Amino acid sequence: MTATSGTAGLSAEQVTSRRQRDGANVVPPARRTPPWRQLVAQLTHFFAGMLWVASFLALLAGMPSLAGAIAVIVVLNGVFAFLQEHKADRAADELNAMMPATTRVVRDGETHSIPVADLVVDDLVLVEAGDRIGADLRILEAHELTVDESMLTGESLPQSRPAGTDVFAGTFAVQGDASGQVVAIGTGTRLAGIAALTDTAERPSSPLAVQLHKLVLVVAAIAVSVGLLLSVASLAIGSGVTTALLLGVGVMVALVPEGLLPTVTLSLARGAQRMAGENALVRHLEAVETLGATTFICTDKTGTLTRNEMSVVEGWTPAGSFQASGTGYAPSGAVLAAPEVRSLLSLAAVGALGCATGRSVERKGSWVAEGDPMDAALDAFARRLEGGAPSPGAAAVRIPFTAAARCSAAVVDGTAYVMGAPEVLLDRCGLGPDTQAQSQLLEMSSRGRRVIAVTRAPVATPGLEITTEAALMTAVGGGLELLALLGIEDPPRAEVFDAVALCHRAGIRLAMLTGDSAATGAAIATEVGLLGPSGTVVEGADLPAGDHEIADLLDRVDGAVVARVTPADKLRIARALRSHGHVVAMTGDGVNDAAALREADVGVAMGRSGSDVAREAADLVLLDDSFATIPKAIQLGRGTFANIRRFLTFHLTDNVAELVPFVLWALTGSNIPLAIGVLQVLALDIGTDMLPALALGAEPANERTMNGPRRTTEVVDGRLLRRALLLLGPTEALLSMGAFLTILTMGGWQYGEEASAGLLSVASGSAFAVIAVAQMANAFACRSETHPAWLIDPRTNPFVLVAVAVEVALLVGFLGVPWLSELLGGSWPSSTGWLFCLLAAVTIPLVDALHKWGARALARD
């Protein structure tokens, strides 16, 4: 440290002057693709390319107005897609801003949690396992500190960083703790020097995007194939080149799903924003859909199922038991204990405070945990002892907690104190299974208490260098004396009971993975309803060796509890359940949980108490740390998945109605006139269909979404294709062609004759109107895959009402504005045409309702 900062850290004045001199601790963001390049990409992708080809063919065929109209549509659709992509990126930025990175510093002699951006040069920073380093630091004091520098050096193994070495911004503390002085911030950090390397990184395609791209490629291939086939057939039966080209262009335009992908992107972005409103921050848009597919949740106990508001409420010492009052981290409360018990507790408090780094502190009139919540609970307990706990001397040696050792240790005034899991420490105290200590441990655990053992031993070899728990045991000669068993209460969150019940109703299986004892975990799991009579309770060390056996053991309707679980166990469990066919959501908050979070289909990290490493590895961050947020996010994910299927059905339905007129025209050798033209197809796809499709993407998730498992994992399956392409689409085609041919026949036209221009215009306008009205009715029918349109409250999605109202206005404009109707090729429908529109408005919902009724009847059989 510099002389100006000292162990008390910088003063407020020093912080202000350094910030004015150096600015904020912010690394310039990676360069994004310029907006003009994003727009060009939207105008030149595969589907846009097909339409450009169609425009060129129309120009070759001597139809410049059609060629120009197609070009305008490509540009309009490209601009729309560009705006949706920009909106999705902006939404992602807004969501990421909801989770600012923080760090702990010492200023004016007090510890504060501040945004990383507020760090200044010479700040005294406190680092613990799981923290992301917020600036370049010179390590002043370290306890077994190891740092993951893979993002800077490519080195996969964590590196030891003793006092006097440097650690760099963007790296992660994997083990131990340390204090360090900031030597560089912002653009002066080593991270800023290599930030440009991230500019070339490309986001991989999500499974959902892959499915959709396959769909549109198949549809596009069909469009080209059918277009070419019908063009050749048209030439073979004597049609001219112009007619054949027009046919090919019409088929391609009718079948290309121009607005599909931007609609999907917007739906995912909207789903992510809705989840953020429920305290679930989605870090990757594709995780919205994956969440909806979740079938198994592996959850932590502490802070997720419970409040993470710990209090020592009871305990046992070799001199007797005690009870403690007081909740949370406030020092108010009392410890009811005999004098000899209180004497041992005072010694235990010295040891606990020497081993722990977290403290209970007063912030704005309330007491909160600073650092580890369990450490803060021990600090609050020490304060509640009559007369206060003796102030421990400075720890000459402190060994942080590790998952392998399951304990932490400190040497204070020549005495070694070891605190940790009773199963480990009682054996070292010579207290076997039949002792009273073991009996008390079981009793407290059965009441759901987290039990911590505090032990001591004199340092027999003072000169021995102590840097590890094993070296400490050598220094004390191996034997420990039990001071106390401390029973810590962490009550379940009130909202967890209903959330667990919701998971059961949705067919989602649950497992609690806890570092606590089996008895403690089972007690809490039973209390909240996660563990039933036939559920599994097992310790991590007793898990089977094979993935298949692990999955068989844990895949239970009545739930499972895995106690004393290690990060390696969590990784194995995630892999085993995925191999069993489950879509796994795994929660984690520690630095060593990152591997399991990446292995799971959906990694879930804690926003308040989780480590930076865990949040970086996660797909979903719980801003409130509550388990209840997970089923809410799953419900919204299922709703988003259902919405994608809704507007896919809507999009694909009128493709059939648009294609049939061209097929009939070609197969009859133009003896049946073309019912609708290419520009009318474009008007339907872009003008009247886009807004209802977007509105269907905004359908809110309802309670039925969580009734049983999700019925399908495929965005496009046989059921959807049958409904769109074999039922609703042909119905629309039959109605529109029925209106077209009826009006022609009523006007005196006969098969093979050439209809008058006026009669053909009215008939074409009527066919166009029937398809448009049928799609309006289809928008309401597509709101549910199981319920008739009239049973769905229109007020629950007002966007559909607005979209249909706009569609009506556009239809009136397309048919009623003279120059526009003349450009498109259809005029105002006759009374017969409007009767067919009314018939379409009634028939589509009825046919759809009969289909849904039949599907339910077959499902019951």
Side-chain angles (χ1 to χ4, degrees), residues 239-258:
S239 300
V241 175
T242 299
T243 300
L245 286 175
L246 178 61
L247 177 62
V249 170
V251 171
M252 288 173 59
V253 171
L255 291 180
V256 170
E258 301 93 344

Side-chain angles (χ1 to χ4, degrees), residues 681-713:
V681 170
L682 291 172
L684 287 169
D685 286 348
I686 305 299
T688 62
D689 278 4
M690 190 64 75
L691 284 179
L694 291 173
L696 288 171
E699 191 74 26
N702 55 57
E703 289 298 322
R704 296 191 305 273
T705 305
M706 298 294 278
N707 287 342
R710 199 172 79 173
R711 292 183 297 173
T712 179
T713 59

Side-chain angles (χ1 to χ4, degrees), residues 40 102 109 204 217 260 281 338 349 359 524 542 574 582 617 624 635 662 675 711 749 767 824 827 855:
V40 169
T102 60
L217 286 174
L260 181 60
L281 173 60
R359 294 291 186 265
I524 296 295
D542 298 326
H582 280 291
D624 58 358
Q635 182 172 352
F662 292 93
R711 292 183 297 173
W749 171 83
L824 295 178
S827 58

Side-chain angles (χ1 to χ4, degrees), residues 136 184-190 192:
D136 289 357
I185 63 171
T187 56
T189 62
R190 184 175 176 183

Side-chain angles (χ1 to χ4, degrees), residues 310-346:
M310 302 185 189
S311 299
V312 178
V313 295
E314 62 175 315
W316 181 85
T317 74
S321 300
F322 69 91
Q323 299 292 321
S325 62
T327 58
Y329 305 111
S332 58
V335 178
L336 305 178
E340 58 272 21
V341 173
R342 190 177 300 277
S343 176
L344 286 175
L345 289 178
S346 295

Side-chain angles (χ1 to χ4, degrees), residues 475-627:
V476 301
L480 296 174
E481 174 194 359
L482 177 66
L483 294 175
L485 295 176
L486 305 178
I488 299 174
E489 180 184 53
D490 184 13
R493 294 174 179 266
E495 67 272 16
V496 162
F497 298 88
D498 289 340
V500 169
L502 180 61
C503 289
H504 289 316
R505 179 159 65 88
I508 300 169
R509 299 195 172 184
L510 303 172
M512 174 198 287
L513 311 184
T514 178
D516 281 340
S517 68
T520 300
I524 296 295
T526 302
E527 182 179 356
V528 301
L530 184 151
L531 186 68
S534 61
T536 297
V537 180
V538 63
E539 290 201 356
D542 298 326
L543 287 172
D547 287 353
H548 184 73
E549 290 76 15
I550 291 176
D552 285 341
L553 179 66
L554 303 183
D555 193 0
R556 302 293 181 90
V557 174
D558 265 3
V561 173
V562 184
R564 299 304 184 194
V565 71
T566 66
D569 294 332
K570 296 181 74 170
L571 180 62
R572 293 176 60 211
I573 290 168
R575 184 179 298 125
L577 292 173
R578 291 187 66 199
S579 69
H580 227 229
H582 280 291
V583 177
V584 180
M586 173 76 71
T587 72
D589 55 8
V591 58
N592 292 322
D593 289 334
L597 296 182
R598 292 191 182 96
E599 175 66 28
D601 297 280
V602 181
V604 183
M606 304 299 112
R608 292 181 179 175
S609 61
S611 66
D612 291 332
V613 178
R615 286 194 287 264
E616 284 288 320
D619 303 292
L620 183 74
V621 177
L622 305 183
L623 300 178
D624 58 358
D625 287 10
S626 176
F627 173 85

